[in-house]
Amino acid sequence: MDTSARGVSIHIRGLVQGVGFRPFVYNLASRLALQGWVLNSASGVNIEVDGPAATLEEFIASLHSQAPPLARIDGFEMAWQPPRRFAGFEIRRSQAGEPDIQPVLPDVSICSDCLAELNDPDDRRYRYPFINCTNCGPRYTIIQGIPYDRRLTTMERFQMCPQCAAEYADPSDRRFHAQPVACPDCGPRVWLCAGEERIEGEEALQGTRSRLMQGQIIGIRGLGGFHLACDATDSAAVRRLRQRKHRPHKPLAVMMPDLETVKRHCLVSEAEFGLLTSRARPIVILGRRPDSDLALELAPGQNTIGVMLPYTPLHVLIMQPAPGFPEALVMTSGNRSEEPLIVDDEEAFDRLRGIADAFLLHDREIQHRCDDSVTRVLPLEAGRAPACFIRRSRGYAPDPVRLPWDLPGILAVGGELKNTYCLTRGPYAFISQHIGDLKNNETLEVFEAGIRGFEELLRVRPAFIAFDLHPDYLSTQYALHRATEESLPAIGIQHHHAHIAACMADNCVAAGESVIGVVFDGTGYGTDGTIWGGEFLLCDYRQFERLAFLAPFRLPGGDSAVAHPWRTALSLMAAAGLPASDAYATFSGLAVEEIATVQRQLECGINAPLTSSIGRLFDGVAALVTGRQHITYEAQAAIEFEALADPDETETYPMDLAGERLEWRSLLHALNVDLRAGLTPNVISARFHNGVSSAILRTCLHLQRHTSAGAVALSGGVWQNHTLLRKTVAALESAGFKILLHRQVPANDGGLSLGQAVAAYHIAGN
Ligand code: ZN
Ligand code: ZN
Ligand code: FE
């Protein structure tokens, strides 16, 4: 064994700040009787250490094998040195230093140690709503700058009491250098506001619970923003919330106290258990048990429900099971329809006054607003159950997606709906939390301020900007404006190319490889100025070729056809040469003038843009079969139509490739015959989904013969239709195709910014 004295300098990159890495290094070095120091730098953790050579080897091996649970080492550099004769081992003050990249940890749900203390009457933090430690608690939502230190978080204003300060300074304590450490003596507090009444602490918690039991709606300031909460088993309360929030149908997520309760109301697989209890505690879309007594108004027309477990101590205290207290609470984003999530009290009073009966507030400021993430497990054959994102936000953002390249600073601004933006640097693509639909000034402000803050926090100065080709998107206008102001190159990426590039990067596809991209989407601006959305692209990161697409049809009234899918239904019927009277049999109460307008638009092609969007085909067909004439949330008709599909039906409708066009008219003819014959919507829905998935298979088989593409990538919002996805994956796999599905970012427009960034990187000549 080599006992000669040596020294070593170590630099570690990755998720190593705010995860207890320094105390871990300190304790390890002390145990091994090594001398030196450790500190947080702007780019990770630096260690200088002296000792016998063999012991140093052991130290280095243990840095990898015993790292704390939340840590992730992405880069490890070391250099041997002559011994420097340090005295003891210490944790030194953080160094700001040269700007560099440093991943920022997402927020972490309450850990089991803290949970035990929360419930222990002898603990000094018994029932304290802000209990946390190095292994849990807020991170991204409170961070104002890096390095991650209390003075650069919204906890800075709370002066630690002597006891907290002692824990914070004690390397053997679980709260050693836990930046948000707090207790009832020195930390944030809760209070309940109802009109003129204001009560604090434990009384506020009890007051909130009793109001919830009475069916009231409470605005609760949480981790990343406000929630609106009410009893999820009380139909009247849920209806009241829907009315006040102007949200008649869109599903509402619920929070349940524990897994046993979730199991009583929902069907839960092992993979779903895993997601529900993961550190991020996302909303998981679960199958609803028919015997559940949750209000049917939570998700009208659907057989699923979005469920999450309590993720902060405050939620644990509010949700505590007790006789008469609801088994589930609605916990929906605290905002008015279409507006960003609310994060501060004044805003809440102003905007939620007419919705909430009372407010449960606290004084820990929210630096970065973060909506709850939404996930779903996709049950595939052969026991595979991949989890996918519908919304990637709280608990995940801003954890980066790792890429196999060394990228410069690129800003990708995303699309319009479900906007996220993305900054790259080095091997990282940092994707923002969910920003929302960029359709109004409030959201635009959040978007603009968010980008600046993200650039500062991650220390990325963009070298160029990537954006969507749609000239009307506010994100596009922002990108072009900024590019001019700062003389930066700007690269436009076609919407569906970005979708497939995102899916490729999500699966670490190598540069230069090409895939067949099946983009099934709602809306995307095509290179010919029409609206695309049912595309088969031969793609690599740099370029794409449009090999096939859904035969275009007209959208009478443009965007108005999206909100009123009966218009699309009439257009489809007319284009297929079917009698309009067949459609009127489904729709009741349509005004004669409205019908006349649509017919005029179709005949003259005025205000009736052409589209190849499969999302719109689904809308129109769904409206025709279910009679859903108007929708109040995106893709509502198609989602309700999918929920009807009979899982045992095997027959299918014909849909074939004619040249480069995927011909849906034959499908509509067959469907119309069944509809007239009085077949149930359940059978028709199944046959429709079967028809579309087998058409995808035949198209891919045909295209494969003419290309060298290795795999089929599925992207676009329509792939959130799990009936279609399951059938298509089964069909493609049995034909031997390798399939790329989204895993780290959503298939919908929430993943667009990642695709824009990687496509722009390769187009720029890399
Ligand atoms: Zn903890
Ligand atoms: Zn304290
Ligand atoms: Fe899209």
Side-chain angles (χ1 to χ4, degrees):
M1 196 162 79
D2 186 354
T3 55
S4 60
R6 299 288 302 273
V8 66
S9 305
I10 298 171
H11 179 60
I12 304 176
R13 285 171 183 275
L15 280 176
V16 287
Q17 293 190 5
V19 296
F21 208 85
R22 287 174 303 170
F24 154 68
V25 172
Y26 174 91
N27 287 321
L28 180 64
S30 307
R31 184 160 54 76
L32 297 173
L34 299 172
Q35 296 84 43
W37 50 261
V38 56
L39 60 71
N40 276 350
S41 72
S43 64
V45 164
N46 294 349
I47 305 168
E48 296 291 344
V49 59
D50 282 0
T55 317
L56 287 177
E57 297 279 8
E58 184 186 344
F59 174 77
I60 291 160
S62 303
L63 284 179
H64 289 280
S65 62
Q66 294 168 24
L70 299 182
R72 191 190 66 215
I73 296 176
D74 288 339
F76 192 94
E77 292 153 36
M78 54 174 276
W80 290 99
Q81 312 280 2
R84 277 97 15 123
R85 306 190 195 292
F86 298 111
F89 197 92
E90 60 174 341
I91 295 179
R92 289 201 177 163
R93 196 180 160 77
S94 302
Q95 207 181 50
E98 285 299 293
D100 207 337
I101 33 170
Q102 171 56 52
V104 171
L105 205 73
D107 302 278
V108 181
S109 60
I110 183 169
C111 75
S112 54
D113 290 332
C114 285
L115 191 59
E117 290 172 354
L118 185 71
N119 291 319
D120 176 2
D122 294 329
D123 193 274
R124 71 188 192 92
R125 292 189 181 84
Y126 176 57
R127 296 186 62 79
Y128 179 56
F130 303 94
I131 188 171
N132 68 81
C133 73
T134 308
N135 300 321
C136 75
R139 293 292 187 280
Y140 179 53
T141 52
I142 60 163
I143 194 168
Q144 297 169 316
I146 51 172
Y148 177 62
D149 249 339
R150 187 166 176 115
R151 66 197 159 85
L152 291 177
T153 70
T154 59
M155 285 298 293
E156 194 256 339
R157 52 187 278 230
F158 298 98
Q159 181 79 39
M160 275 185 239
C161 70
Q163 266 180 295
C164 284
E167 291 169 333
Y168 183 86
D170 176 1
S172 67
D173 195 281
R174 198 171 90 251
R175 296 192 169 88
F176 182 55
H177 282 233
Q179 307 306 341
V181 70
C183 78
D185 292 335
C186 68
R189 289 155 192 275
V190 290
W191 64 93
L192 178 72
C193 269
E196 295 300 296
E197 190 193 352
R198 181 186 154 120
I199 49 176
E200 295 187 11
E202 190 59 40
E203 264 184 77
L205 294 173
Q206 295 310 334
T208 301
R209 282 169 61 88
S210 64
R211 283 170 181 272
L212 286 165
M213 283 164 74
Q214 292 157 21
Q216 291 198 6
I217 297 164
I218 313 292
I220 299 177
R221 175 195 260 250
L223 181 63
F226 273 77
H227 277 126
L228 287 165
C230 73
D231 181 349
T233 60
D234 178 350
S235 287
V238 177
R239 272 201 303 271
R240 202 153 47 235
L241 174 59
R242 285 200 175 283
Q243 240 161 31
R244 293 184 188 172
K245 213 186 164 192
H246 302 297
R247 180 167 158 159
H249 306 114
K250 194 177 179 189
L252 298 166
V254 302
M255 186 178 272
M256 297 187 189
D258 47 44
L259 280 174
E260 287 62 47
T261 312
V262 180
K263 274 197 270 184
R264 267 201 302 285
H265 295 281
C266 302
L267 304 159
V268 193
S269 72
E270 215 170 298
E272 288 161 341
F273 267 157
L275 258 184
L276 279 169
T277 55
S278 67
R279 274 184 216 129
R281 297 274 161 100
I283 294 169
V284 185
I285 309 286
L286 300 172
R288 178 192 170 117
R289 278 188 187 281
D291 57 346
S292 159
D293 64 351
L294 292 176
L296 289 168
E297 289 82 355
L298 291 173
Q302 300 196 26
N303 39 29
T304 55
I305 196 121
V307 182
M308 63 185 148
L309 292 173
Y311 53 88
T312 69
L314 181 62
H315 295 143
V316 172
L317 295 171
I318 294 171
M319 294 295 308
Q320 218 150 45
F325 190 76
E327 284 205 320
L329 293 179
V330 170
M331 278 283 194
T332 188
S333 303
N335 57 359
R336 291 202 304 208
S337 250
E338 317 291 318
E339 288 180 359
L341 183 64
I342 289 171
V343 291
D344 78 65
D345 296 354
E346 288 311 312
E347 215 184 339
F349 290 142
D350 182 33
R351 308 231 166 222
L352 303 180
R353 191 180 293 282
I355 305 178
D357 297 303
F359 292 93
L360 181 64
L361 304 172
H362 64 73
D363 52 0
R364 190 176 69 202
E365 294 298 319
I366 298 166
Q367 183 68 27
H368 300 280
R369 73 188 73 211
C370 259
D371 289 83
D372 292 314
S373 293
V374 184
T375 62
R376 191 166 179 187
V377 171
L378 171 66
L380 296 177
E381 273 146 33
R384 285 171 305 151
C388 57
F389 284 104
I390 293 167
R391 181 200 291 161
R392 182 185 187 273
S393 204
R394 194 253 319 144
Y396 299 96
D399 203 15
V401 169
R402 295 212 61 188
L403 299 170
W405 312 292
D406 190 30
L407 292 93
I410 304 170
L411 165 65
V413 296
E416 178 178 67
L417 300 178
K418 305 179 191 64
N419 179 274
T420 63
Y421 41 84
C422 170
L423 283 173
T424 64
R425 185 155 164 206
Y428 298 123
F430 299 93
I431 300 152
S432 74
Q433 68 274 31
H434 169 79
I435 303 299
D437 295 349
L438 267 186
K439 285 180 159 186
N440 53 50
N441 278 331
E442 289 83 1
T443 316
L444 182 65
E445 275 167 31
V446 169
F447 166 86
E448 291 184 353
I451 288 179
R452 295 293 184 175
F454 217 43
E455 286 172 11
E456 234 163 80
L457 182 64
L458 299 167
R459 300 185 179 183
V460 176
R461 287 276 312 135
F464 54 95
I465 305 181
F467 63 97
D468 193 276
L469 293 180
H470 201 307
D472 298 339
Y473 282 2
L474 295 178
S475 59
T476 301
Q477 288 165 9
Y478 170 86
L480 294 176
H481 179 73
R482 226 187 123 177
T484 314
E485 293 266 292
E486 298 176 26
S487 305
L488 295 173
I491 303 178
I493 308 292
Q494 199 277 325
H495 189 95
H496 302 105
H497 184 208
H499 268 303
I500 296 301
C503 187
M504 292 167 70
D506 203 333
N507 288 277
C508 256
V509 172
E513 265 184 52
S514 42
V515 303
I516 295 174
V518 182
V519 207
F520 272 26
D521 206 19
T523 297
Y525 196 79
T527 51
D528 59 1
T530 70
I531 307 290
W532 294 5
E535 315 302 311
F536 292 77
L537 308 179
L538 177 64
C539 251
D540 57 24
Y541 289 112
R542 212 183 289 254
Q543 56 197 351
F544 71 94
E545 193 184 336
R546 193 186 188 203
L547 297 179
F549 49 90
L550 192 73
F553 54 92
R554 292 200 178 273
L555 284 180
D559 274 352
S560 151
V562 180
H564 308 287
W566 67 268
R567 291 168 161 261
T568 309
L570 287 197
S571 165
L572 295 172
M573 293 294 279
L578 288 162
S581 56
D582 280 3
Y584 303 144
T586 314
F587 301 127
S588 56
L590 290 180
V592 183
E593 312 85 73
E594 279 191 281
I595 295 175
T597 306
V598 167
Q599 273 166 348
R600 219 172 24 251
Q601 286 168 335
L602 289 175
E603 277 158 25
C604 316
I606 295 165
N607 191 18
L610 280 170
T611 185
S612 59
S613 164
I614 192 97
R616 297 294 89 82
L617 179 77
F618 272 65
D619 288 352
V621 167
L624 200 60
V625 179
T626 64
R628 168 70 65 195
Q629 291 164 215
H630 314 286
I631 62 170
T632 62
Y633 64 90
E634 196 193 8
Q636 180 181 355
I639 289 168
E640 291 169 351
F641 185 50
E642 182 207 343
L644 294 172
D646 176 351
D648 299 322
E649 175 62 33
T650 53
E651 273 194 52
T652 174
Y653 297 137
M655 188 176 183
D656 276 301
L657 201 59
E660 56 187 3
R661 291 167 179 236
L662 194 57
E663 196 40 79
W664 49 267
R665 288 174 182 82
S666 43
L667 174 146
L668 198 67
H669 274 269
L671 182 142
N672 194 49
V673 168
D674 279 357
L675 203 55
R676 295 308 126 222
L679 263 69
T680 65
N682 311 71
V683 168
I684 295 177
S685 170
R687 290 181 178 180
F688 173 79
H689 285 89
N690 291 343
V692 175
S693 66
S694 61
I696 294 170
L697 171 64
R698 284 193 305 279
T699 306
C700 287
L701 284 170
H702 173 77
L703 297 179
Q704 190 191 34
R705 275 179 243 126
H706 304 279
T707 69
S708 55
V712 175
L714 306 182
S715 190
V718 173
W719 291 113
Q720 280 163 203
N721 179 326
H722 276 205
T723 303
L724 181 71
L725 183 57
R726 219 170 36 237
K727 289 173 191 282
T728 306
V729 168
L732 288 171
E733 280 188 340
S734 64
F737 281 103
K738 182 180 180 228
I739 299 167
L740 307 178
L741 300 175
H742 279 279
R743 299 175 305 166
Q744 306 174 75
V745 295
N748 61 40
D749 285 6
L752 217 53
S753 59
L754 172 65
Q756 291 172 345
V758 292
Y761 168 68
H762 286 95
I763 290 169
N766 297 286

